[in-house]
Amino acid sequence: MRFDTNTPVQPIFHPIAQKHKVDLWIKRDDMIHPFVSGNKWRKLQFIFEDAAQKGATRLVSFGGPYSNHLVALACAGAIANIQTKAFVRGESVSNHMLQLCQSWGMELSFVNRTAYQNKQLLFEEHQQAGDYFIDEGGRGNLAVKGCSDIIPGNQSFTHAVCAVGTGTTFAGIVQQSNLLGILPLGIVILKGAQGIEQDIQALCNDTDRFELMHQFHEGGYAKSTNALWSFMDDFAKQTGILLDQVYTGKMMKAVFALIESGYFPAQSKILTVHTGGLLGLLTRPLP
Ligand SMILES: *Cc1c(COP(=O)(O)O)cnc(C)c1O
């Protein structure tokens, strides 16, 4: 089973980009699949291959109750006809995303935060024959490999911008950007995640260059502000493209703030990466 990762690269026509004479583009990885969305399929593609080679019959992974990774895994598992199980962090809850996971046949097991910390132990304690371990969010070297061909090599971009959670997706972008002579810019969406720099370095080559920005988290992971929602609504109105509030909305809002501050020299050709995650919009508070 494979999904087509050759997604469109589209220009963004927006008055702010025009005013500051930068050329803004977006890589539409949200179009890979509606539920096996964006970077989550890229991170899983070689993991699925490896699991199949090893004759796995069940994929076991980990995530919070709003995990895009678990939704992607549940859906991809159902399509590939392989069982899935997830250890979900925290006390038993129900929400639309976990309900979707169950629709695709994923078995859910809620574990408290202490037990959740030792994922390898959880896996081993409940292991059945044919079980295959997938770390939280799919993180690991196979995931980085799956994220190292996101940028089209023939379009002379000057910058590539991506939201950074664990930094796995960004590490793939960094490797590729350095080969292409593009400056990779990561927008960190967690608060106080200074250690992420070393995590990314560990996944890259010693010589790789990248820039990380820590001031655009809007209050912290999965926190949102009215300013963020109105930015996302304005962006949708201008371009037709929906963003999510956890990752891509913060990334794009940061790009516009950086454009307005003069961070990007005139004539920059900026590729933003839409990593998907639109199901997060299900949790938007209603007025
Ligand atoms: C998971 C996710 C990310 C973060 O990816 P990492 O590889 O963990 O940095 C970014 N965007 C979206 C939409 C995601 O779902």
Side-chain angles (χ1 to χ4, degrees):
M1 178 206 51
R2 300 203 98 263
F3 299 107
D4 187 5
T5 51
N6 188 22
T7 55
V9 176
Q10 300 170 338
I12 297 175
F13 299 109
H14 194 287
I16 291 174
Q18 265 153 7
K19 180 175 161 215
H20 292 268
K21 299 188 169 51
V22 299
D23 202 4
L24 193 57
W25 294 75
I26 185 165
K27 171 72 170 162
R28 294 295 305 277
D29 269 10
D30 56 314
M31 292 168 73
I32 290 177
H33 186 279
F35 304 109
V36 191
S37 166
N39 64 340
K40 296 302 183 282
W41 171 246
R42 290 194 182 267
K43 290 164 84 168
L44 283 171
Q45 56 185 333
F46 292 110
I47 293 173
F48 266 65
E49 225 175 83
D50 186 52
Q53 264 162 25
K54 292 183 171 142
T57 53
R58 187 169 74 160
L59 307 175
V60 181
S61 196
F62 308 83
Y66 293 97
S67 165
N68 291 327
H69 163 67
L70 291 184
V71 171
L73 179 66
C75 180
I79 293 170
N81 210 3
I82 184 163
Q83 288 183 297
T84 55
K85 171 177 177 163
F87 290 100
V88 184
R89 185 186 63 233
E91 62 205 56
S92 180
V93 290
S94 66
N95 65 43
H96 288 107
M97 291 173 75
L98 291 175
Q99 213 165 49
L100 281 172
C101 289
Q102 285 174 307
S103 291
W104 286 304
M106 178 177 260
E107 180 190 333
L108 302 179
S109 172
F110 292 89
V111 291
N112 68 46
R113 283 162 188 273
T114 317
Y116 186 82
Q117 279 171 3
N118 195 338
K119 302 188 178 55
Q120 195 65 49
L121 183 67
L122 268 179
F123 176 75
E124 282 164 17
E125 275 177 356
H126 300 88
Q127 191 171 5
Q128 296 176 7
D131 274 2
Y132 181 97
F133 177 93
I134 302 177
D135 206 344
E136 187 178 43
R139 72 201 296 170
N141 288 325
L142 287 175
V144 177
K145 183 179 164 199
C147 294
S148 57
D149 65 347
I150 294 177
I151 302 166
N154 54 356
Q155 294 193 31
S156 60
F157 293 106
T158 56
H159 301 77
V161 194
C162 177
V164 172
T166 64
T168 314
T169 308
F170 186 60
I173 289 175
V174 168
Q175 292 182 356
Q176 197 198 2
S177 297
N178 276 260
L179 293 173
L180 295 169
I182 297 171
L183 181 66
L185 177 59
I187 308 300
V188 181
I189 52 86
L190 292 96
K191 187 175 172 177
Q194 311 302 334
I196 199 95
E197 187 130 7
Q198 277 87 46
D199 295 351
I200 294 166
Q201 253 148 14
L203 295 167
C204 293
N205 309 310
D206 292 337
T207 53
D208 282 347
R209 297 173 314 125
F210 60 88
E211 218 158 291
L212 283 182
M213 302 257 172
H214 288 277
Q215 68 273 44
F216 296 111
H217 54 68
E218 303 275 331
Y221 182 71
K223 298 267 168 40
S224 57
T225 57
N226 288 336
L228 177 62
W229 288 114
S230 56
F231 169 81
M232 288 164 54
D233 286 345
D234 175 67
F235 186 82
K237 219 177 292 169
Q238 295 279 347
T239 65
I241 300 170
L242 287 176
L243 302 168
D244 81 292
Q245 77 279 20
V246 183
Y247 297 101
T248 55
K250 291 180 185 179
M251 182 276 296
M252 194 62 77
K253 185 166 181 279
V255 168
F256 276 81
L258 290 167
I259 290 174
E260 292 198 280
S261 76
Y263 171 86
F264 298 105
Q267 320 311 331
S268 291
K269 188 170 177 183
I270 307 157
L271 181 67
T272 59
V273 180
H274 196 317
T275 40
L278 294 177
L279 280 184
L281 293 175
L282 285 174
T283 64
R284 180 173 187 165
L286 297 172

